[in-house]
Amino acid sequence: IGIEHGNYDYRRNYLKRNVKDDVQIRAFQIAAEHKYASCANSIIGMPDETRDLIFDTINFVRKLPETIDATGAFIFAPYHGTPLRTYAIEKGYIKDEEICSLSNTSASMLRMPTISKDEISGLAKVFSLYVKFPRERWPEIKIAEKNDDEGNKMMAKLGKEFDEKYRPYKASNMDLHD
């Protein structure tokens, strides 16, 4: 189920999706009640987005049932023909001629005054950790956002813990093959 964004006003004004939070949450609850495999898909790094707005999405996903999978986030890609691409070009966040690949979602293509490309990449890397780990672990997760020795070391530690705690099948499956 595509959440895209956890802030209702952003979703309504930028994405033209007038779906209230409680309706989306109920859809995930229904899927969980029926034991359907469900994924929550989010996008970060959209035009005019801020760190606070990204945390609105993180906090929204934290409200979903525990059984929901794929709580990661994709980085916004300004696809040709979409209103958000046109908006990003009009705001000067990207130039039309700079967009050479429709599949580049490994890093933000936008240069915005509200959040840096590096911060978007860091938040995408640890998005699932913020969603699943308790808030008292958030200072450690913030360290893991950084792409330096300290951040990479913390990411390795937290990633291992995440795999053991929240991906038991994957972790046990890896043990069988290693």
Side-chain angles (χ1 to χ4, degrees):
I1 300 173
I3 292 170
E4 273 83 47
H5 206 282
N7 180 287
Y8 172 71
D9 289 330
Y10 190 96
R11 223 175 24 248
R12 184 173 45 100
N13 294 323
Y14 284 79
L15 305 176
K16 309 304 181 211
R17 294 189 67 214
N18 196 22
V19 181
K20 301 253 180 178
D21 289 357
D22 58 336
V23 171
Q24 288 196 92
I25 290 170
R26 184 64 189 134
F28 280 104
Q29 289 169 338
I30 290 168
E33 288 166 7
H34 294 286
K35 298 185 177 21
Y36 294 128
S38 308
C39 297
N41 296 316
S42 303
I43 301 171
I44 65 171
M46 290 191 262
D48 295 336
E49 196 165 34
T50 63
R51 184 177 180 88
D52 287 343
L53 284 169
I54 291 172
F55 271 87
D56 286 349
T57 301
I58 289 167
N59 286 314
F60 179 89
V61 176
R62 288 174 62 87
K63 295 176 188 175
L64 300 179
E66 288 286 321
T67 57
I68 302 305
D69 195 18
T71 54
F74 297 97
I75 295 177
F76 171 76
Y79 290 120
H80 186 74
T82 62
L84 280 182
R85 174 188 166 127
T86 301
Y87 180 77
I89 292 168
E90 288 170 357
K91 292 286 284 193
Y93 299 157
I94 193 166
K95 293 182 178 141
D96 194 39
E97 63 271 11
E98 292 175 325
I99 306 171
C100 60
S101 171
L102 291 179
S103 61
N104 183 8
T105 58
S106 61
S108 178
M109 298 174 75
L110 306 184
R111 289 177 305 279
M112 298 185 287
T114 55
I115 190 167
S116 73
K117 291 179 176 200
D118 287 343
E119 192 168 11
I120 292 166
S121 292
L123 285 164
K125 177 174 71 169
V126 300
F127 189 90
S128 295
L129 303 178
Y130 278 122
V131 168
K132 293 291 188 182
F133 282 31
R135 287 181 189 269
E136 58 265 15
R137 303 291 303 278
W138 284 15
E140 293 172 88
I141 299 169
K142 186 169 174 69
I143 293 168
E145 289 180 36
K146 297 177 189 158
N147 189 21
D148 59 17
D149 287 342
E150 181 186 27
N152 294 336
K153 185 176 177 182
M154 183 62 74
M155 185 64 202
K157 174 190 166 207
L158 295 174
K160 183 176 189 274
E161 184 179 338
F162 182 89
D163 284 345
E164 291 168 355
K165 223 178 220 179
Y166 300 106
R167 293 187 196 165
Y169 173 76
K170 183 177 180 185
S172 65
N173 199 22
M174 286 171 53
D175 292 342
L176 293 174
H177 299 292
D178 291 338

